[in-house]
């Protein structure tokens, strides 16, 4: 799953198309569609990772379902999304306001 996570994060933040500018209208629409799809896939992967942890806890008889369980699930999914994107975001150079492209 690690390679899949890395590939998804890299394609989400590394979109390129030969001969097209990211400012072309059809490319903007296409990139928005791809980004939305990647967000859904990344969230699904995060939920799957949390489910794997729950199953492990349940089989080890350490799973406690109480009032805080649902809230902790949301937090866990958010953490997993962060872990999925962490490596890719850390390898990106920061863009200063003066060097950022103007649209």
């Amino acid at each position: 799953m690690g390679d899949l996570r890395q590939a998804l994060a890299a394609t989400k933040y590394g979109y390129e198309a030969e001969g097209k500018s990211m400012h072309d209208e059809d490319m903007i629409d296409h990139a928005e569609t791809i980004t939305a799809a990647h967000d859904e896939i990344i969230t699904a992967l995060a939920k799957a990772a949390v489910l794997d942890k729950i199953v492990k806890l349940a089989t080890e008889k350490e799973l406690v379902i109480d009032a805080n369980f649902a809230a902790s699930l949301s937090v866990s999914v958010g953490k997993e999304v962060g872990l999925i994107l962490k490596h890719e975001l850390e390898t990106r150079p920061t863009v200063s306001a003066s060097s950022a492209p103007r649209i």
Side-chain angles (χ1 to χ4, degrees), residues 36-77:
H38 278 104
D39 289 343
E40 291 297 325
I41 294 168
I42 289 168
T43 300
L45 282 171
K47 288 178 179 179
V50 170
L51 181 60
D52 285 347
K53 292 175 185 175
I54 291 171
V55 169
K56 183 179 178 195
L57 288 172
T59 57
E60 295 171 355
K61 300 183 191 251
E62 296 178 17
L63 179 63
V64 176
I65 299 176
D66 59 13
N68 296 323
F69 183 72
S72 69
L73 283 178
S74 293
V75 170
S76 294
V77 170

Side-chain angles (χ1 to χ4, degrees), residues 15 20-29 31 101-103:
Y15 181 78
K20 293 279 189 174
S21 163
M22 68 178 192
H23 303 290
D24 291 341
E25 188 62 37
D26 61 330
M27 294 306 289
I28 292 170
D29 292 341
R102 293 189 178 179
I103 298 177

Side-chain angles (χ1 to χ4, degrees), residues 2-17:
D3 291 347
L4 179 57
R5 287 178 176 203
Q6 185 177 353
L8 280 170
T11 56
K12 179 172 176 58
Y13 291 100
Y15 181 78
E16 280 186 19

